[in-house]
Coordinates of all heavy atoms in Angstrom, one line a residue:
F1 N -0.5 6.1 -8.5 CA -0.5 4.7 -9.0 C -1.8 4.0 -8.5 O -2.5 4.3 -7.6 CB 0.7 3.9 -8.5 CG 1.0 3.9 -7.1 CD1 0.5 2.9 -6.3 CD2 1.7 4.9 -6.4 CE1 0.7 2.8 -4.9 CE2 1.9 4.9 -5.1 CZ 1.4 3.8 -4.3
V2 N -2.2 3.0 -9.3 CA -3.3 2.1 -9.0 C -2.9 0.6 -9.1 O -2.1 0.2 -9.9 CB -4.5 2.4 -10.0 CG1 -5.0 3.8 -9.8 CG2 -4.1 2.2 -11.5
L3 N -3.6 -0.1 -8.2 CA -3.4 -1.6 -8.2 C -4.8 -2.2 -8.3 O -5.7 -1.7 -7.6 CB -2.7 -2.1 -7.0 CG -1.3 -1.8 -6.7 CD1 -1.1 -0.3 -6.2 CD2 -0.7 -2.7 -5.7
V4 N -5.0 -3.2 -9.1 CA -6.3 -3.9 -9.2 C -6.1 -5.3 -8.9 O -5.2 -6.0 -9.4 CB -6.9 -3.7 -10.6 CG1 -8.3 -4.4 -10.7 CG2 -7.1 -2.2 -10.9
H5 N -7.0 -5.9 -8.1 CA -6.9 -7.3 -7.7 C -8.3 -7.8 -7.3 O -9.2 -7.0 -6.9 CB -6.0 -7.5 -6.5 CG -5.5 -8.9 -6.3 ND1 -6.2 -9.8 -5.5 CD2 -4.5 -9.6 -6.8 CE1 -5.6 -11.0 -5.5 NE2 -4.5 -10.9 -6.3
E6 N -8.6 -9.1 -7.5 CA -9.9 -9.6 -7.2 C -10.2 -9.7 -5.7 O -11.3 -9.8 -5.3 CB -10.1 -11.0 -7.8 CG -9.1 -12.1 -7.4 CD -7.8 -12.1 -8.2 OE1 -7.5 -11.1 -8.9 OE2 -7.2 -13.2 -8.2
S7 N -9.1 -9.6 -4.8 CA -9.3 -9.8 -3.4 C -9.1 -8.5 -2.7 O -8.0 -7.9 -2.8 CB -8.4 -10.9 -2.9 OG -8.3 -10.8 -1.4
K8 N -10.0 -8.0 -1.9 CA -9.9 -6.8 -1.1 C -8.8 -7.0 0.0 O -8.0 -6.2 0.3 CB -11.2 -6.4 -0.5 CG -11.1 -5.1 0.3 CD -12.4 -4.7 0.9 CE -12.3 -3.4 1.8 NZ -13.6 -3.0 2.4
E9 N -8.9 -8.2 0.6 CA -8.0 -8.6 1.7 C -6.5 -8.5 1.2 O -5.6 -8.0 2.0 CB -8.3 -9.9 2.3 CG -9.6 -10.0 3.1 CD -10.8 -10.0 2.2 OE1 -10.7 -10.3 1.0 OE2 -11.9 -9.6 2.7
Y10 N -6.3 -9.0 0.0 CA -4.9 -9.0 -0.5 C -4.4 -7.5 -0.7 O -3.3 -7.2 -0.5 CB -4.8 -9.8 -1.7 CG -3.3 -10.0 -2.2 CD1 -2.5 -10.7 -1.4 CD2 -2.9 -9.3 -3.3 CE1 -1.1 -10.9 -1.8 CE2 -1.5 -9.4 -3.7 CZ -0.7 -10.2 -2.9 OH 0.6 -10.3 -3.3
L11 N -5.3 -6.7 -1.2 CA -5.0 -5.3 -1.5 C -4.7 -4.6 -0.1 O -3.8 -3.7 -0.1 CB -6.1 -4.6 -2.2 CG -6.1 -4.8 -3.7 CD1 -7.2 -4.0 -4.4 CD2 -4.8 -4.6 -4.4
E12 N -5.4 -5.0 0.9 CA -5.2 -4.4 2.2 C -3.8 -4.8 2.7 O -3.0 -4.0 3.3 CB -6.2 -4.8 3.2 CG -7.6 -4.2 3.0 CD -8.7 -4.8 3.9 OE1 -8.5 -5.9 4.4 OE2 -9.7 -4.1 4.0
Y13 N -3.4 -6.0 2.4 CA -2.1 -6.5 2.8 C -1.0 -5.7 2.0 O 0.0 -5.3 2.5 CB -2.0 -8.0 2.5 CG -0.5 -8.5 2.4 CD1 0.2 -8.8 3.6 CD2 0.1 -8.8 1.2 CE1 1.5 -9.2 3.5 CE2 1.4 -9.3 1.1 CZ 2.1 -9.5 2.3 OH 3.4 -9.9 2.2
C14 N -1.3 -5.5 0.7 CA -0.4 -4.8 -0.2 C -0.2 -3.4 0.3 O 0.9 -2.8 0.3 CB -0.9 -4.8 -1.6 SG -0.9 -6.3 -2.5
L15 N -1.3 -2.8 0.8 CA -1.2 -1.4 1.3 C -0.3 -1.3 2.5 O 0.5 -0.4 2.5 CB -2.6 -0.9 1.7 CG -2.7 0.5 2.3 CD1 -2.2 1.5 1.3 CD2 -4.2 0.8 2.6
V16 N -0.4 -2.3 3.4 CA 0.5 -2.3 4.5 C 2.0 -2.4 4.1 O 2.9 -1.7 4.6 CB 0.1 -3.4 5.5 CG1 1.2 -3.5 6.6 CG2 -1.3 -3.1 6.1
E17 N 2.2 -3.3 3.2 CA 3.6 -3.6 2.7 C 4.2 -2.3 1.9 O 5.4 -2.0 2.1 CB 3.6 -4.8 1.8 CG 3.3 -6.1 2.5 CD 4.3 -6.4 3.6 OE1 5.6 -6.4 3.3 OE2 3.9 -6.7 4.7
I18 N 3.3 -1.7 1.2 CA 3.8 -0.5 0.4 C 4.1 0.6 1.4 O 5.1 1.4 1.3 CB 2.7 0.0 -0.5 CG1 2.6 -1.0 -1.7 CG2 3.0 1.4 -1.1 CD1 1.4 -0.8 -2.6
E19 N 3.3 0.8 2.5 CA 3.6 1.8 3.5 C 4.9 1.5 4.2 O 5.7 2.5 4.5 CB 2.5 1.8 4.5 CG 1.2 2.5 4.0 CD 0.0 2.4 5.0 OE1 0.0 1.5 5.8 OE2 -0.8 3.3 4.9
K20 N 5.2 0.3 4.5 CA 6.5 -0.1 5.1 C 7.7 0.2 4.1 O 8.7 0.7 4.5 CB 6.5 -1.6 5.4 CG 5.6 -2.0 6.6 CD 5.7 -3.5 6.8 CE 4.8 -4.0 7.9 NZ 4.9 -5.5 8.0
F21 N 7.5 -0.1 2.8 CA 8.5 0.1 1.8 C 8.8 1.6 1.7 O 9.9 2.0 1.6 CB 8.0 -0.4 0.5 CG 9.0 -0.4 -0.6 CD1 9.8 -1.5 -0.8 CD2 9.2 0.7 -1.4 CE1 10.8 -1.5 -1.8 CE2 10.2 0.7 -2.4 CZ 11.0 -0.4 -2.6
L22 N 7.7 2.5 1.7 CA 7.9 3.9 1.6 C 8.5 4.5 2.8 O 9.3 5.5 2.8 CB 6.6 4.6 1.3 CG 6.0 4.3 -0.1 CD1 4.6 4.9 -0.2 CD2 6.9 4.8 -1.2
K23 N 8.2 4.0 4.0 CA 8.7 4.5 5.2 C 10.2 4.4 5.3 O 10.9 5.2 5.8 CB 8.1 3.7 6.4 CG 8.4 4.4 7.8 CD 7.7 3.7 8.9 CE 8.0 4.3 10.2 NZ 7.2 3.6 11.4
E24 N 10.8 3.3 4.7 CA 12.2 3.1 4.7 C 12.9 4.2 3.8 O 14.1 4.5 4.0 CB 12.6 1.8 4.1 CG 12.1 0.6 4.9 CD 12.4 -0.8 4.2 OE1 12.8 -0.7 3.0 OE2 12.1 -1.8 4.8
R25 N 12.1 4.8 2.9 CA 12.6 5.9 2.1 C 12.1 7.2 2.6 O 12.2 8.2 1.8 CB 12.3 5.6 0.6 CG 13.1 4.5 0.0 CD 12.4 3.8 -1.1 NE 13.2 2.7 -1.6 CZ 13.3 1.5 -1.0 NH1 12.7 1.3 0.1 NH2 14.1 0.6 -1.6
K26 N 11.6 7.3 3.8 CA 11.1 8.5 4.4 C 10.0 9.2 3.6 O 10.0 10.4 3.6 CB 12.3 9.4 4.7 CG 13.3 8.8 5.6 CD 14.6 9.6 5.8 CE 15.6 8.8 6.6 NZ 16.8 9.6 6.9
L27 N 9.1 8.4 3.0 CA 8.0 8.9 2.3 C 6.7 8.3 2.9 O 6.8 7.3 3.7 CB 8.1 8.5 0.8 CG 9.2 9.1 0.0 CD1 9.3 8.4 -1.3 CD2 9.1 10.6 -0.1
S28 N 5.6 8.8 2.6 CA 4.3 8.3 3.1 C 3.2 8.5 2.1 O 3.3 9.3 1.2 CB 3.9 9.0 4.4 OG 3.7 10.4 4.2
L29 N 2.2 7.7 2.2 CA 1.0 7.8 1.3 C 0.1 8.9 1.7 O 0.0 9.3 2.9 CB 0.3 6.4 1.3 CG 1.0 5.2 0.7 CD1 0.1 4.0 0.8 CD2 1.2 5.5 -0.8
N30 N -0.6 9.4 0.7 CA -1.6 10.4 1.0 C -2.7 9.8 1.8 O -3.2 8.7 1.6 CB -2.2 10.9 -0.4 CG -3.0 12.1 -0.3 OD1 -3.9 12.2 0.6 ND2 -2.8 13.1 -1.1
P31 N -3.2 10.6 2.8 CA -4.3 10.1 3.7 C -5.6 9.7 2.9 O -6.4 8.9 3.3 CB -4.6 11.2 4.6 CG -3.3 12.0 4.6 CD -2.7 11.9 3.3
K32 N -5.7 10.2 1.6 CA -6.9 9.9 0.8 C -6.8 8.6 0.1 O -7.7 8.1 -0.5 CB -7.1 11.0 -0.2 CG -7.4 12.4 0.3 CD -7.7 13.4 -0.8 CE -8.0 14.8 -0.2 NZ -8.2 15.8 -1.3
T33 N -5.6 7.9 0.3 CA -5.5 6.6 -0.3 C -6.6 5.6 0.2 O -6.9 5.6 1.4 CB -4.1 6.0 0.1 OG1 -3.1 6.8 -0.5 CG2 -3.9 4.6 -0.4
D34 N -7.2 4.9 -0.7 CA -8.3 4.1 -0.4 C -8.5 2.9 -1.3 O -7.9 2.8 -2.4 CB -9.6 4.9 -0.4 CG -10.8 4.3 0.3 OD1 -10.5 3.3 1.0 OD2 -11.9 4.8 0.2

């Protein structure tokens, strides 16, 4: 999946929230996520 936004800081916040969301389901993001 891809997300596009005008703010890098907001995408960094989104990344943290997505990781928390996935952790609850015992999943994780690929280390290559950038």
Side-chain angles (χ1 to χ4, degrees):
F1 56 94
V2 293
L3 294 76
V4 178
H5 197 269
E6 60 270 21
S7 170
K8 181 181 181 181
E9 289 72 23
Y10 187 71
L11 284 183
E12 289 173 344
Y13 165 77
C14 291
L15 178 58
V16 173
E17 293 299 309
I18 290 170
E19 287 176 334
K20 290 179 183 178
F21 189 91
L22 292 174
K23 189 175 181 180
E24 294 175 358
R25 288 153 180 80
K26 300 176 182 178
L27 297 170
S28 61
L29 290 175
N30 192 311
K32 294 181 180 179
T33 297
D34 198 7

